């Protein structure tokens, strides 16, 4: 940004999105009313944290630790009007809800940019905004869909889930980078834009080395490979006394002599 003291206002309707408490600017999480209660509110956070204890993290509440957690019933016109007034002064609108849900609440990109042409409208969808897929997406199911799980593990064994919410994390990083880039472009062009970082796209990025070989005709490259048949024995996993050891060395005589 041209002005380093500029404060960014981010309004989010996302579920389970980590928001840092020390953000330099305004971050307001506007939770949804689900199953008769607010998805996020300070009273529920305090109650759940007390019940969980100091050694347990209630994920959706513990991650969303910014103090500005408020509830707006976006299904009602009154709630939508509140959102519109917030959007007038917002820099970023961020959501990981489906486009169909946002459209049903009159919170589409087309509607919000009428209110604030400088708005950066960012969505984290499961499968992207185009293509017709509008269903829930989870890290493990999309890993299976993109072939990441099929590449992990020994041949003949079940596919392995990579874990760690890797696709979720990559999708978030891609979204953050896109938001910062869009804000920079807005300062130059004077208008915002609509961006999307999907979980599916993030997982495809992670699987790219195997997928590229597969699409080029090497179908075996995308499948499981046994560590007992490694092309380079110095780049492999071996059991040792009490633990496993991964060796990462070039396949050269000099490196063998150092073992």
């Amino acid at each position: 940004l041209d002005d380093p003291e500029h404060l960014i206002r981010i309004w989010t309707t996302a579920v389970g999105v980590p928001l840092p408490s020390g953000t330099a600017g305004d971050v307001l999480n506007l939770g949804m009313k689900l199953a008769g209660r607010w998805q996020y509110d300070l009273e529920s956070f305090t109650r759940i944290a007390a019940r969980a204890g100091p050694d347990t993290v209630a994920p959706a509440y513990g991650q969303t630790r910014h103090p500005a957690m408020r509830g707006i019933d976006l299904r009602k016109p009154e709630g939508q009007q509140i959102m519109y007034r917030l959007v007038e002064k917002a820099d970023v609108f961020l959501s990981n809800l489906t486009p169909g849900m946002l459209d049903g609440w009159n919170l589409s990109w087309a509607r919000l940019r009428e209110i604030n042409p400088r708005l950066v409208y960012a969505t984290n969808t499961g499968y992207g905004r185009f293509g017709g897929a509008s269903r829930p997406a989870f890290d493990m199911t999309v890993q299976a869909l993109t072939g990441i799980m099929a590449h992990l593990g020994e041949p003949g064994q079940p596919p392995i889930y990579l874990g760690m919410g890797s696709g979720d994390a990559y999708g978030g990083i891609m979204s953050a980078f896109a938001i910062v880039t869009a804000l920079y472009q807005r300062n130059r062009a004077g208008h915002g834009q609509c961006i999307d970082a999907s979980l599916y796209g993030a997982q495809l990025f992670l699987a790219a080395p195997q997928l590229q070989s597969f699409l080029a005709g090497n179908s075996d490259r995308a499948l499981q490979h046994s560590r007992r048949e490694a092309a380079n024995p110095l780049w492999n996993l071996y059991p040792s006394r009490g633990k496993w050891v991964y060796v990462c060395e070039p396949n050269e005589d000099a490196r063998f002599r150092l073992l």
Side-chain angles (χ1 to χ4, degrees):
L1 297 174
D2 296 333
D3 180 4
E5 300 300 322
H6 183 73
L7 298 181
I8 303 299
R9 293 184 176 89
I10 303 175
W11 303 153
T12 171
T13 63
V15 175
V17 173
L19 298 175
S21 57
T23 301
D26 297 331
V27 180
L28 181 60
N29 195 333
L30 306 167
M32 300 186 303
K33 192 172 185 180
L34 299 174
R37 65 177 178 83
W38 295 113
Q39 177 72 13
Y40 298 109
D41 63 79
L42 293 176
E43 180 182 355
S44 296
F45 174 81
T46 303
R47 184 173 62 253
I48 290 177
R51 184 170 68 244
D55 298 326
T56 304
V57 176
Y61 295 87
Q63 290 176 0
T64 311
R65 57 194 181 277
H66 198 280
M69 293 186 288
R70 300 293 184 267
I72 297 177
D73 193 340
L74 296 172
R75 297 171 300 180
K76 297 181 179 179
E78 310 92 275
Q80 295 167 15
Q81 289 301 318
I82 294 174
M83 175 62 84
Y84 295 158
R85 292 199 298 272
L86 291 170
V87 165
E88 289 176 0
K89 299 181 179 180
D91 295 292
V92 179
F93 175 88
L94 171 65
S95 177
N96 66 354
L97 306 177
T98 65
M101 182 176 290
L102 293 175
D103 292 346
W105 291 343
N106 297 313
L107 297 177
S108 66
W109 159 238
R111 178 69 183 95
L112 296 190
R113 70 174 174 179
E114 290 179 353
I115 300 171
N116 181 359
R118 290 176 55 82
L119 182 71
V120 173
Y121 185 98
T123 55
N124 289 106
T125 59
Y127 304 96
R129 297 180 59 85
F130 308 100
S134 182
R135 60 180 184 273
F138 302 95
D139 190 73
M140 63 287 294
T141 57
V142 179
Q143 278 194 28
L145 182 64
T146 55
I148 292 179
M149 293 173 63
H151 181 70
L152 303 176
E154 289 286 311
Q157 297 296 315
I160 296 177
Y161 170 51
L162 185 58
M164 304 176 295
S166 52
D168 293 326
Y170 263 80
I173 292 171
M174 293 167 68
S175 180
F177 182 77
I179 289 172
V180 172
T181 304
L183 288 171
Y184 178 81
Q185 175 64 13
R186 184 195 67 178
N187 284 358
R188 297 169 63 90
H191 59 79
Q193 58 184 291
C194 177
I195 58 179
D196 177 75
S198 69
L199 181 59
Y200 183 67
Q203 301 278 29
L204 286 176
F205 177 78
L206 285 172
Q210 287 73 42
L211 288 177
Q212 288 173 344
S213 296
F214 178 84
L215 294 174
N218 184 5
S219 59
D220 184 65
R221 182 73 172 84
L223 302 177
Q224 295 167 317
H225 292 84
S226 175
R227 64 180 185 83
R228 296 180 176 86
E229 300 174 358
N232 176 7
L234 290 184
W235 198 281
N236 202 10
L237 182 67
Y238 296 98
S240 64
R241 185 177 300 173
K243 60 183 178 181
W244 287 82
V245 176
Y246 212 114
V247 180
C248 299
E249 291 284 353
N251 191 9
E252 301 171 353
D253 291 342
R255 310 311 295 177
F256 268 99
R257 288 194 291 267
L258 292 176
L259 292 178

